[in-house]
Amino acid sequence: MIPGYAGKVLHIDLTKGSVRKLRLRKSFIKSYIGGKGFGARFLYDMVTPRINPLSPSNPLMFFTGPVTATGAPASARDVVVTKSPKTGTFLDSNSGGFWGCWLKIAGYDGLIITGRAQKLSYIYINDGSVEIRDATGLKGFGVYATTEALVKEVGDKNAKVAAIGPAGENLVKLAGIVNDLHHVHARGGPGAVMGSKNLKAIVISAEPRKPRFEIADKDGFTDYNRKIIKEVVMGPPEEWARTDGTPIIVRWSNDVGVLPTRNFQQGVFEDVDKIDAEVMRSFRTSKGACYRCSIACRNLTKIKDDKWGEIELDGPEYETIALGGSNTGLSDFKAIIAWNSLADDLGMDTISLGNVTALAMEAFEKGYLDKDVLGGMELRFGDADVQMELAKMIAYRKGIGDVLAEGAREFVAWLGGDAYKLAMETKGLEYPAYDPRGSIGMALAYATADRGACHLRAWPIAAEAFGDMDPFTTEGKAKLVIDMQDLNAVKWSMVFCDFLDADYELITNYFNHVTGLNYKPETMKLIGERINNLIRLFNVREGFSRKDDYIPYRVAYEEMPVGPNKGFRVKPELFKRMLDEYYKLRGWDRNGVPKKGKLRKLGLGRDISRMNVSGIIS
Amino acid sequence: MIPGYAGKVLHIDLTKGSVRKLRLRKSFIKSYIGGKGFGARFLYDMVTPRINPLSPSNPLMFFTGPVTATGAPASARDVVVTKSPKTGTFLDSNSGGFWGCWLKIAGYDGLIITGRAQKLSYIYINDGSVEIRDATGLKGFGVYATTEALVKEVGDKNAKVAAIGPAGENLVKLAGIVNDLHHVHARGGPGAVMGSKNLKAIVISAEPRKPRFEIADKDGFTDYNRKIIKEVVMGPPEEWARTDGTPIIVRWSNDVGVLPTRNFQQGVFEDVDKIDAEVMRSFRTSKGACYRCSIACRNLTKIKDDKWGEIELDGPEYETIALGGSNTGLSDFKAIIAWNSLADDLGMDTISLGNVTALAMEAFEKGYLDKDVLGGMELRFGDADVQMELAKMIAYRKGIGDVLAEGAREFVAWLGGDAYKLAMETKGLEYPAYDPRGSIGMALAYATADRGACHLRAWPIAAEAFGDMDPFTTEGKAKLVIDMQDLNAVKWSMVFCDFLDADYELITNYFNHVTGLNYKPETMKLIGERINNLIRLFNVREGFSRKDDYIPYRVAYEEMPVGPNKGFRVKPELFKRMLDEYYKLRGWDRNGVPKKGKLRKLGLGRDISRMNVSGIIS
């Protein structure tokens, strides 16, 4: 086996109750690296077009990568891959913490789960052995209680747990899979897929001192790792992450006028002073880190309060503060911590949750929803109690929460009329916390991201409002977005965390030290492009095309009313220009479909004919 | 209001608990007639692309048409329209009996249901009043017990009930909506949509002597109706329907070698003598008719048996006998009656159920499934006990039934490998009972049918193996399929039943007598084309295109092994030729997308731009 890999993937079918160990081919590893890349290939090969994401045939897969658990900075990460029940697209969702490392240490590069258990179950991976166990006693449990109960039940204090909460059990489309209490594979509804499989949790026992994988060039790796920790991690590039972590972005975003406020009605928040990093620090008890990560970006916070009780949290991150703070008009940081903690326990994506909460509030304030429908409840911006209550209503699918549980697009579809004007989403995934009306490249990034509106595929705002590029013009944005998407596809395949300021050279050096292979940075770049094209092919096969690469009404037609971007909107013709250029540079046709020549260059030639597999003759 | 219409559509939202009465615009009625046409327009306008068919935002709609409940032959019919949870396409499913007539007599041309009730409920329409009532006591009830209980509960012996069984409650994708005990809106999973809304039944009380609609030209209508009954219904065209009804087709199909046998492995059944119309007659107690239908095609049968007990059935129809008889290798007619009765009670589509049952049997016999997975059960063709057991396992989602509950495509996707070679489906809808390898036009009919493989959109076999056209050549088949599809779109809009041998002239005459309008047959033809193009536009918007208009592997690559069609298969190049011609004649592009010029001619010009509604800017 290639060093850096355990060489095995577990395939568990919950309908059959079967456990198989698959050996990975070397050519496969070399072409797709790990993590997202592995997932892209497996999903393309395993998923018949148009299957229901919540049916037994949809695989729920977890993958690690060559750097996972090696002690490289920002390498304590795994990727969940499945067909998204929220968007119908390919989905990969990352998470940090310890659980993913434990999976690899226990000897698995990945875990593929198909079928559906007849009763609520959990999987216990105890180094070599794998069991499917009864979890009916945990029905309805939150993530915290589930984690505690399972660590106890398996009798290993060091066991790591990835679990779903009530939201996942109730097939809420905002449901994530939560590992190590507060690390969430959040976006795109992987928790609903896990819930549809009647799978409450995956528990792993492993011996970190005896990892079941090798590092090819140990000395070289150690030297290089020291150098990177010294120069990059402990140097200026990571200072923000080492000190305040993502909450620092609250201030950055507000300063440049892109901080989503009251459902993206504006980009500056009058109470930003109450939710910024300084405020966060006042609740911080210590810094924290994922497994062997030298960045240690995590903020461990605590509140003790008559209203919310005593809460300890690993968080909140920027996206949570923005979507559940300024975007819902909430300026009470304690309440944000309490809401974040509740969302983790219920098992939900705070980005989508904050987004749909704000959407419901705007819909109420604008008269799309009346009190009768809400049993007298008033959905006002800034009301912490309402925000908490809505989170529970969504997780338990109560009242209006049952509709919000499907997401922003479905909610406005249900409201009907022109309610669509309020929904901030692309492909059914809710917008994260950067308003494109202050960095036009973000409009393209969200529109073309594989899993729907996502800031972790490309983050052009780094170069635009937070950098030197003009944030209001389209020039160079298509290339910027493509370059970032391809680089990130490689990062999520290694699997590195977003917080490592990594270029192809750094990534390739790590890869070569770990695997003993001799890749060039250009090869890595090609692999990133290959992964993104294969994923696009998956989405095209599912019926996605140009029509699905869109921006919301508000972004296109409503000018930013206040702040530094006042008067700006992403005019459809500007967006069209970027999208046309994007397709052209990608080697895709006008409809967003990869051309044969491009696919052949990427080694995906035979996948064109595979577009018609599965008995599909046309 | 235009005569022939009640002029009102009920809109009930189960999340809000609201009831609204919508008035229909005359221009709308004139453009879309009723039934399927109404549904096509409403679904296109109400459904945001890519919503989850089982979410609150998907409308479940029932429509009647201008001839419904008028006493015209074959006019006791309604259409359910929704986005199919089985295929993701537009779905219309018809049903006869009395319930649809009661809806119109009570004063409604249609019923639109959105949202989701918090607890299991039923709707009671009592002439003018509409209530949403508790049905939690009926949870898990079969259709028969539900119907009986509700007729009693509302205190009107003459009340008509449309209900779901356990299959619908369990969101089984084969679930239909059953009215009047044995009439099923069967195909495409409308019962799962009703189940997802927590709606167990819709009960209607009405006064047939006081219908809440007019007939414009009563005398003219009566005269014309008498003439048609005499010449068409009582004449040779309907003799087959009046005498044996559809079971007569068992023999026709076997004679021409298209009777699906053991999952379409062959087209002749060695035990056809045991399942044909003659055998059916030996169990028939009387003939039956839907509301005021002069054809009276129904066969009321009865068995009394140690094994199956005493069963009275309104059926079985040809499709049920073929899919649940020859196709599962079952030659015991009593068992077929028992299975049909069970399927009606559980609330399932016998076509899809018989198809996936046979698929599972072939998968077992070919080693794709082993006994371990099945708890020792052996899925052998011809085993009535296994066939009954599988129906229950599917309805209750037990064991392998949980996967089969998703349909043939999902089942083979779950099996993996080359299992797709066994699945007989298009767009995820299972093949009905005519093997295209004995009438090549059926391959095109199934491939291009709006809701997936369906014989009720076009039935070219009538002209091919059952008529004078060469069944093995492609010439003229595209035009034949298009003509039939457009005519049927009009029939399902009137709403006429399939068993009226109707051309545009007959339909137009009825329409004009009822409405007082003065349509020409050409206008009707144009409306049929309009409806089919609007539906195609809906499907395109959902991502469907040429890639989804396919034929199964078996049809394309496996030659018919025995019988009159021995050695024939639908070679991909032959299929491609028909499909190319079909698109060309339709005025659609090579990818199956309607061209703008065609849409403009059909009055759908503005719907092109509507492709990008709902906040979709691209």
Side-chain angles (χ1 to χ4, degrees):
Chain A
M1 184 38 53
I2 299 173
Y5 297 90
K8 284 195 300 259
V9 167
L10 264 182
H11 178 196
I12 299 173
D13 188 281
L14 295 169
T15 297
K16 296 180 186 167
S18 63
V19 176
R20 289 193 310 153
K21 288 171 190 175
L22 313 175
R23 294 219 146 265
L24 293 175
R25 277 178 292 116
K26 284 187 185 176
S27 60
F28 171 80
I29 291 173
K30 287 180 179 175
S31 301
Y32 294 100
I33 300 176
K36 177 169 183 155
F38 281 6
R41 185 75 254 179
F42 268 105
L43 202 77
Y44 194 87
D45 290 345
M46 288 184 73
V47 164
T48 299
R50 295 191 176 279
I51 59 162
N52 169 13
L54 299 182
S55 84
S57 50
N58 190 23
L60 179 71
M61 309 190 272
F62 297 85
F63 294 104
T64 59
V67 294
T68 308
T70 57
S75 70
R77 220 157 173 85
D78 73 275
V79 179
V80 65
V81 173
T82 191
K83 179 174 169 182
S84 166
K86 185 134 214 308
T87 62
T89 63
F90 168 89
L91 172 68
D92 65 309
S93 272
N94 300 354
S95 179
F98 295 79
W99 184 88
C101 295
W102 256 231
L103 179 64
K104 185 168 168 190
I105 291 165
Y108 303 106
D109 299 312
L111 179 56
I112 299 174
I113 301 159
T114 54
R116 167 157 49 219
Q118 287 281 302
K119 55 183 183 183
L120 197 63
S121 303
Y122 75 96
I123 292 169
Y124 182 40
I125 299 171
N126 184 4
D127 239 1
S129 83
V130 181
E131 287 173 67
I132 303 164
R133 295 182 169 187
D134 182 79
T136 48
L138 300 174
K139 194 170 162 54
F141 274 38
V143 166
Y144 305 155
T146 301
T147 304
E148 194 184 343
L150 287 174
V151 167
K152 211 169 175 181
E153 183 166 319
V154 303
D156 168 16
K157 279 184 190 168
N158 218 18
K160 304 303 176 194
V161 178
I164 57 169
E169 287 185 50
N170 295 329
L171 308 182
V172 169
K173 302 300 192 318
L174 319 181
I177 300 168
V178 188
N179 58 282
D180 307 298
L181 298 172
H182 297 292
H183 295 263
V184 194
H185 303 84
R187 306 226 71 196
V193 176
M194 193 152 150
S196 78
K197 302 203 168 311
N198 260 327
L199 184 63
K200 182 69 178 170
I202 304 163
V203 186
I204 307 175
S205 289
E207 291 182 65
R209 287 172 195 205
K210 293 187 202 163
R212 294 178 184 251
F213 62 91
E214 304 286 327
I215 289 177
D217 171 16
K218 277 187 191 166
D219 295 342
F221 176 86
T222 308
D223 289 349
Y224 186 71
N225 201 33
R226 276 204 197 108
K227 176 179 137 78
I228 293 300
I229 290 174
K230 189 177 164 194
E231 290 173 12
V232 180
V233 175
M234 296 305 164
E238 301 294 341
E239 195 194 340
W240 68 273
R242 280 198 328 271
T243 53
D244 285 338
T246 60
I248 194 77
I249 307 174
V250 171
R251 182 63 70 176
W252 299 356
S253 287
N254 195 71
D255 285 351
V256 301
V258 302
L259 182 68
T261 301
R262 287 184 284 277
N263 197 34
F264 291 83
Q265 290 183 83
Q266 56 188 64
V268 288
F269 185 44
E270 63 283 2
D271 282 339
V272 68
D273 291 346
K274 299 181 184 166
I275 62 167
D276 68 2
E278 206 180 311
V279 179
M280 179 277 295
R281 283 198 297 270
S282 71
F283 295 101
R284 185 163 67 189
T285 54
S286 70
K287 290 288 285 178
C290 299
Y291 181 66
R292 295 180 69 190
C293 180
S294 44
I295 300 176
C297 73
R298 314 289 301 176
N299 297 302
L300 308 183
T301 57
K302 184 173 175 176
I303 60 169
K304 197 170 171 178
D305 189 85
D306 287 346
K307 189 176 176 74
W308 308 115
E310 191 174 324
I311 294 173
E312 289 186 57
L313 182 72
D314 185 345
E317 300 288 348
Y318 165 66
E319 296 286 335
T320 306
I321 301 170
L323 272 309
S326 53
N327 200 47
T328 56
L330 185 63
S331 53
D332 174 353
F333 206 86
K334 282 188 194 173
I336 293 172
I337 288 177
W339 179 76
N340 189 158
S341 175
L342 177 67
D344 288 356
D345 196 33
L346 295 170
M348 282 192 284
D349 170 12
T350 53
I351 296 180
S352 286
L353 180 62
N355 184 306
V356 301
T357 299
L359 169 61
M361 288 169 169
E362 187 182 356
F364 176 79
E365 295 204 342
K366 295 208 165 144
Y368 289 94
L369 273 172
D370 58 49
K371 277 197 237 177
D372 285 356
V373 175
L374 298 164
M377 195 174 176
E378 299 197 16
L379 308 183
R380 301 280 178 204
F381 282 113
D383 186 328
D385 293 319
V386 162
Q387 185 166 327
M388 296 291 275
E389 185 59 26
L390 271 179
K392 289 178 214 158
M393 287 168 72
I394 291 169
Y396 295 104
R397 288 186 169 276
K398 294 292 169 205
I400 196 85
D402 188 29
V403 189
L404 290 167
E406 300 290 322
R409 183 195 280 194
E410 298 258 359
F411 180 68
V412 298
W414 174 74
L415 286 176
D418 66 349
Y420 67 84
K421 292 182 178 174
L422 312 184
M424 297 298 292
E425 55 83 19
T426 298
K427 295 185 183 66
L429 192 69
E430 289 77 16
Y431 258 41
Y434 308 91
D435 194 315
R437 290 173 295 178
S439 273
I440 195 169
M442 291 305 297
L444 185 66
Y446 292 153
T448 60
D450 47 15
R451 65 179 184 178
C454 173
H455 62 296
L456 295 171
R457 302 296 167 263
W459 199 53
I461 192 173
E464 299 181 278
F466 297 159
D468 301 328
M469 280 176 100
D470 184 336
F472 304 120
T473 58
T474 61
E475 210 187 332
K477 300 303 166 64
K479 184 171 186 314
L480 177 66
V481 166
I482 291 170
D483 287 345
M484 287 177 150
Q485 286 174 341
D486 290 347
L487 178 63
N488 280 335
V490 173
K491 281 178 81 174
W492 315 152
S493 299
M494 287 295 287
V495 183
F496 277 121
C497 162
D498 196 29
F499 297 165
L500 185 64
D501 189 25
D503 58 14
Y504 285 113
E505 203 182 313
L506 182 151
I507 292 170
T508 309
N509 283 333
Y510 268 111
F511 181 76
N512 288 342
H513 285 304
V514 171
T515 61
L517 296 171
N518 191 21
Y519 273 35
K520 294 198 175 98
E522 305 87 82
T523 313
M524 282 293 180
K525 192 173 187 312
L526 187 84
I527 290 174
E529 199 184 352
R530 177 185 297 141
I531 293 167
N532 280 327
N533 274 271
L534 180 60
I535 291 171
R536 183 69 179 190
L537 218 46
F538 178 93
N539 286 347
V540 166
R541 199 174 62 175
E542 294 288 342
F544 288 84
S545 63
R546 184 181 191 113
K547 69 186 181 331
D548 302 287
D549 297 341
Y550 58 83
I551 53 175
Y553 180 89
R554 175 156 287 160
V555 173
Y557 293 112
E558 294 182 10
E559 291 176 359
M560 194 65 102
V562 291
N565 309 313
K566 186 174 172 179
F568 189 69
R569 63 181 167 101
V570 181
K571 287 182 183 158
E573 57 269 29
L574 293 184
F575 176 67
K576 185 178 179 300
R577 191 186 300 160
M578 286 194 295
L579 192 62
D580 283 340
E581 195 186 343
Y582 177 93
Y583 289 160
K584 204 173 163 193
L585 290 172
R586 273 276 182 219
W588 297 355
D589 71 15
R590 278 209 74 261
N591 205 24
V593 179
K595 290 183 190 173
K596 291 185 182 179
K598 168 57 77 178
L599 293 175
R600 279 199 206 97
K601 270 186 208 159
L602 295 170
L604 297 172
R606 76 194 174 91
D607 294 297
I608 308 162
S609 62
R610 293 179 65 98
M611 290 288 286
N612 284 331
V613 293
S614 310
I616 295 179
I617 317 296
S618 76
Chain B
M1 183 38 55
I2 299 173
Y5 297 90
K8 283 195 300 259
V9 168
L10 264 182
H11 178 196
I12 300 172
D13 188 279
L14 295 170
T15 297
K16 296 180 185 166
S18 63
V19 176
R20 289 193 310 154
K21 289 171 190 176
L22 313 174
R23 294 220 144 265
L24 292 175
R25 276 177 292 119
K26 284 187 185 177
S27 60
F28 171 80
I29 291 173
K30 287 181 179 173
S31 302
Y32 294 99
I33 302 176
K36 177 170 184 153
F38 281 7
R41 185 76 253 177
F42 268 104
L43 202 76
Y44 194 86
D45 290 345
M46 287 183 74
V47 165
T48 298
R50 295 193 177 279
I51 59 162
N52 169 13
L54 299 182
S55 84
S57 50
N58 190 23
L60 178 72
M61 308 189 274
F62 298 84
F63 293 105
T64 59
V67 294
T68 308
T70 56
S75 70
R77 218 154 176 87
D78 73 276
V79 179
V80 64
V81 174
T82 191
K83 179 175 170 181
S84 167
K86 186 132 212 311
T87 63
T89 63
F90 168 90
L91 173 68
D92 64 310
S93 271
N94 300 353
S95 180
F98 295 80
W99 183 89
C101 295
W102 257 232
L103 179 63
K104 184 168 170 189
I105 291 165
Y108 303 105
D109 299 312
L111 179 55
I112 299 173
I113 301 160
T114 53
R116 167 156 51 217
Q118 287 281 304
K119 55 183 183 183
L120 197 64
S121 304
Y122 75 96
I123 292 169
Y124 183 40
I125 299 171
N126 184 3
D127 241 1
S129 83
V130 181
E131 286 174 69
I132 303 165
R133 293 182 171 187
D134 182 78
T136 48
L138 299 174
K139 194 168 164 52
F141 274 39
V143 166
Y144 306 155
T146 301
T147 304
E148 193 185 342
L150 287 175
V151 167
K152 210 168 174 182
E153 184 167 319
V154 303
D156 168 17
K157 279 184 192 168
N158 217 18
K160 304 303 175 194
V161 178
I164 57 169
E169 286 185 51
N170 295 329
L171 309 182
V172 169
K173 302 300 192 320
L174 320 179
I177 300 168
V178 188
N179 57 281
D180 307 298
L181 299 173
H182 297 290
H183 295 263
V184 194
H185 302 84
R187 307 227 71 196
V193 176
M194 193 151 149
S196 80
K197 301 203 168 312
N198 258 327
L199 184 63
K200 182 68 179 171
I202 304 164
V203 186
I204 307 175
S205 288
E207 291 182 66
R209 286 172 196 206
K210 294 186 202 164
R212 292 176 185 252
F213 63 90
E214 304 286 327
I215 289 176
D217 171 17
K218 277 185 195 167
D219 296 342
F221 177 87
T222 307
D223 290 347
Y224 186 70
N225 201 33
R226 275 204 197 110
K227 175 178 137 79
I228 293 300
I229 290 174
K230 187 177 165 196
E231 290 172 13
V232 180
V233 175
M234 297 305 164
E238 301 294 342
E239 195 194 341
W240 68 273
R242 281 197 328 272
T243 53
D244 284 338
T246 61
I248 195 78
I249 307 175
V250 172
R251 182 63 70 177
W252 299 355
S253 286
N254 194 71
D255 286 349
V256 301
V258 302
L259 183 68
T261 301
R262 286 183 285 276
N263 197 33
F264 292 82
Q265 290 184 83
Q266 57 187 65
V268 288
F269 184 44
E270 62 283 2
D271 283 338
V272 68
D273 291 347
K274 299 180 182 166
I275 62 167
D276 68 2
E278 208 180 311
V279 179
M280 179 278 295
R281 283 199 296 270
S282 70
F283 295 100
R284 185 163 68 190
T285 53
S286 71
K287 291 288 286 177
C290 297
Y291 181 66
R292 293 180 69 190
C293 179
S294 44
I295 300 177
C297 73
R298 313 291 300 176
N299 297 303
L300 308 184
T301 57
K302 185 174 175 175
I303 59 169
K304 197 170 173 180
D305 189 85
D306 285 347
K307 189 176 176 73
W308 308 115
E310 189 174 325
I311 294 173
E312 289 186 57
L313 182 72
D314 185 345
E317 300 289 347
Y318 164 66
E319 295 286 334
T320 307
I321 300 170
L323 272 310
S326 53
N327 201 47
T328 57
L330 185 64
S331 54
D332 174 352
F333 205 86
K334 280 188 192 173
I336 293 172
I337 289 176
W339 178 78
N340 188 353
S341 174
L342 177 67
D344 288 357
D345 196 31
L346 295 170
M348 281 191 285
D349 170 12
T350 53
I351 296 179
S352 286
L353 180 62
N355 184 306
V356 301
T357 299
L359 168 62
M361 289 170 169
E362 187 182 357
F364 176 79
E365 295 204 343
K366 295 209 164 144
Y368 290 95
L369 273 171
D370 57 48
K371 278 198 234 175
D372 285 356
V373 175
L374 299 164
M377 195 174 174
E378 298 197 14
L379 307 183
R380 300 281 176 201
F381 282 114
D383 187 328
D385 293 319
V386 162
Q387 185 167 327
M388 296 291 276
E389 186 58 26
L390 270 180
K392 289 178 213 158
M393 287 168 72
I394 291 169
Y396 294 105
R397 289 187 170 276
K398 293 294 168 204
I400 197 83
D402 188 27
V403 188
L404 289 167
E406 300 291 322
R409 184 194 280 196
E410 298 257 0
F411 181 68
V412 298
W414 173 75
L415 286 176
D418 65 349
Y420 66 84
K421 292 181 178 174
L422 313 185
M424 297 298 292
E425 55 83 18
T426 298
K427 294 187 184 65
L429 192 69
E430 290 76 16
Y431 258 43
Y434 308 92
D435 194 315
R437 289 173 295 178
S439 274
I440 195 169
M442 291 306 296
L444 184 67
Y446 291 154
T448 60
D450 47 14
R451 65 179 183 178
C454 172
H455 63 295
L456 295 171
R457 301 298 168 259
W459 199 53
I461 193 173
E464 299 181 277
F466 298 158
D468 301 327
M469 280 176 101
D470 184 337
F472 304 119
T473 58
T474 62
E475 209 188 332
K477 301 302 165 63
K479 184 172 186 315
L480 176 67
V481 166
I482 291 170
D483 286 345
M484 286 176 151
Q485 286 174 341
D486 290 346
L487 177 63
N488 280 336
V490 173
K491 281 177 81 172
W492 316 153
S493 299
M494 289 293 289
V495 183
F496 277 121
C497 162
D498 196 29
F499 297 164
L500 185 64
D501 189 25
D503 57 14
Y504 285 113
E505 201 183 312
L506 181 152
I507 292 170
T508 309
N509 283 333
Y510 267 112
F511 182 76
N512 288 342
H513 285 305
V514 171
T515 61
L517 296 171
N518 190 22
Y519 273 34
K520 293 198 176 98
E522 306 87 81
T523 312
M524 281 294 180
K525 191 173 188 311
L526 186 85
I527 290 174
E529 199 184 352
R530 176 185 297 141
I531 292 167
N532 280 326
N533 274 271
L534 180 60
I535 290 170
R536 182 70 179 189
L537 217 47
F538 178 93
N539 286 346
V540 165
R541 198 174 64 176
E542 294 288 342
F544 288 84
S545 63
R546 183 182 192 112
K547 69 185 180 330
D548 302 288
D549 297 342
Y550 58 83
I551 53 175
Y553 180 89
R554 173 155 288 161
V555 173
Y557 293 113
E558 295 182 10
E559 291 176 358
M560 194 66 101
V562 291
N565 309 313
K566 187 174 172 180
F568 190 70
R569 62 181 168 100
V570 182
K571 288 183 182 157
E573 58 267 30
L574 293 183
F575 176 66
K576 185 178 179 301
R577 191 185 302 161
M578 286 194 296
L579 193 62
D580 284 339
E581 194 185 343
Y582 176 94
Y583 289 160
K584 203 174 162 193
L585 290 172
R586 272 277 182 221
W588 297 355
D589 71 15
R590 277 208 76 262
N591 204 25
V593 179
K595 291 184 190 171
K596 291 185 183 182
K598 168 58 74 178
L599 294 174
R600 278 197 207 98
K601 271 185 208 159
L602 295 170
L604 297 171
R606 82 197 168 88
D607 294 295
I608 308 163
S609 61
R610 292 179 65 98
M611 291 286 286
N612 284 329
V613 293
S614 311
I616 295 179
I617 317 297
S618 75

